[in-house]
Amino acid sequence: RRDGHTLILLYGAALDAPHPLGKADNAIFRVLRPDSFDGFIVASAALSAYSGAERVAELVRGLQPAKLCSLGIALEGIPSLVIDNRAGLAAAVEHLIQRHGCRRPFFLAGTPKNPDSEERYEAYLEVFERLHLPFDPNLVACADFRNDLARDAVDDALRRGVAFDSVVASNDTMAIGATETLRKWGRRVPQDIPVTGFDDQMLARVAVPPLTTVTQPFEQMAELAVDSIVAQLAGRAVPDRVALPTRLVCRESCGCQAGEHPHPWDKLKSGKPAGSGLLDRVEALRPKPEE
């Protein structure tokens, strides 16, 4: 709106997604015409979950000569906005080790070819090496960023008697899946097993308990992505790659700040106003009585 452009959102699944619905969703990519749009902002990190970066780069290059911006992974020759996965994941692991005394964090990895997943796993290994902790491969499971596979992975580890004292998940969805399985086994979060995630999605904030996670600057990324397209349309130079910081947000799932982050539902139960929430918006739209 600010720059007089129309934004169209196009939804497709990750490239090479193994399930039939994913293949059906991806039909949208076959009908995109570059001459129908001024530019494309591509959620490359999400699209590369199964295929890796090169397949996404191939898709994006086919959208030229439209102006391009990649979100999540750096694509050669295409302006890209990326986040500092390593620092964010390392901060979560170090927090569990140094603040909560954990020595055997169980790691839930994303899909093997995904750049975000690989960087977060490498950061996990680097923390072990830097702090001189012994690494046990039994402490790592691949759950493809999915809630159901995370539940299965934690269930399998518990059945096999793998000794772990915390869970570090590569995204919030897997962290919540892990929490569900731990609860089924009678393990309390965080009293028995602290849990951390990554992304700081809305579901992390409304989880029970609220999830300690690594937040990404989504709003800043969105603004920079639009600015990149607008600048290119105006003929201005834009950086090839911009890296944005991440930040660890401590909530109750790791044992920190219990009670300092009230659950959003508490405001509804207590009858207190929910700020700019849905109930306030509905109330604001009610017809006003005529005077």
Side-chain angles (χ1 to χ4, degrees):
R1 288 196 297 267
R2 182 191 64 198
D3 295 298
H5 295 281
T6 299
L7 178 67
I8 299 176
L9 301 177
L10 300 173
Y11 171 81
L15 301 184
D16 299 336
H19 43 84
L21 287 178
K23 295 177 182 178
D25 288 337
N26 286 346
I28 186 67
F29 300 133
R30 296 197 296 272
V31 299
L32 291 181
R33 292 180 50 185
D35 57 352
S36 298
F37 299 90
D38 292 323
F40 291 88
I41 298 170
V42 183
S44 53
L47 292 178
S48 68
Y50 297 99
S51 66
E54 186 49 43
R55 280 276 287 114
V56 179
E58 179 183 342
L59 169 69
V60 175
R61 284 194 290 265
L63 300 175
Q64 293 173 324
K67 307 306 180 185
L68 303 169
C69 181
S70 169
L71 285 183
I73 58 177
L75 301 179
E76 186 176 356
I78 296 168
S80 303
L81 301 174
V82 300
I83 64 162
D84 194 343
N85 283 294
R86 291 177 183 273
L89 197 285
V93 179
E94 290 174 351
H95 179 76
L96 290 174
I97 293 172
Q98 297 176 342
R99 174 69 181 271
H100 298 288
C102 300
R103 290 296 179 269
R104 291 180 61 83
F106 186 74
F107 184 73
L108 289 168
T111 49
K113 292 184 179 180
N114 179 262
D116 283 346
S117 177
E118 292 177 352
E119 288 186 357
R120 293 170 195 178
Y121 176 52
E122 290 168 1
Y124 170 81
L125 296 178
E126 288 168 1
V127 171
F128 270 73
E129 182 177 357
R130 184 166 66 252
L131 298 181
H132 306 291
L133 294 176
F135 171 70
D136 181 355
N138 288 313
L139 293 175
V140 176
C142 180
D144 288 0
F145 291 125
R146 290 170 49 181
N147 179 289
D148 59 333
L149 295 184
R151 294 198 307 266
D152 292 345
V154 174
D155 187 72
D156 177 68
L158 290 168
R159 289 183 186 280
R160 291 188 293 112
V162 176
F164 60 92
D165 56 13
S166 53
V167 174
V168 178
S170 287
N171 73 350
D172 295 337
T173 301
M174 293 192 295
I176 291 173
T179 301
E180 293 169 355
T181 295
L182 290 168
R183 186 177 296 122
K184 183 185 75 172
W185 279 75
R187 308 294 174 84
R188 299 170 301 167
V189 176
Q191 293 90 336
D192 301 324
I193 305 287
V195 175
T196 67
F198 200 110
D199 288 334
D200 198 18
Q201 300 174 7
M202 180 57 69
L203 56 85
R205 306 170 202 180
V206 300
V208 180
L211 186 63
T212 292
T213 186
V214 177
T215 185
Q216 302 187 46
F218 290 120
E219 292 187 9
Q220 184 183 9
M221 290 184 75
E223 183 167 358
L224 289 174
V226 174
D227 287 346
S228 174
I229 298 295
V230 171
Q232 292 177 66
L233 290 171
R236 300 194 298 271
V238 297
D240 292 335
R241 182 180 184 275
V242 175
L244 299 174
T246 53
R247 180 173 57 88
L248 179 66
V249 177
C250 293
R251 300 191 180 101
E252 293 178 26
S253 72
C254 73
C256 281
Q257 302 183 14
E260 295 182 16
H261 296 277
H263 196 287
W265 295 342
D266 291 342
K267 295 180 179 179
L268 302 181
K269 295 177 192 174
S270 65
K272 295 179 182 179
S276 58
L278 179 60
L279 295 182
D280 297 278
R281 293 175 184 271
V282 171
E283 188 63 34
L285 292 172
R286 291 185 188 277
K288 298 293 187 292
E290 295 184 4
E291 296 182 356

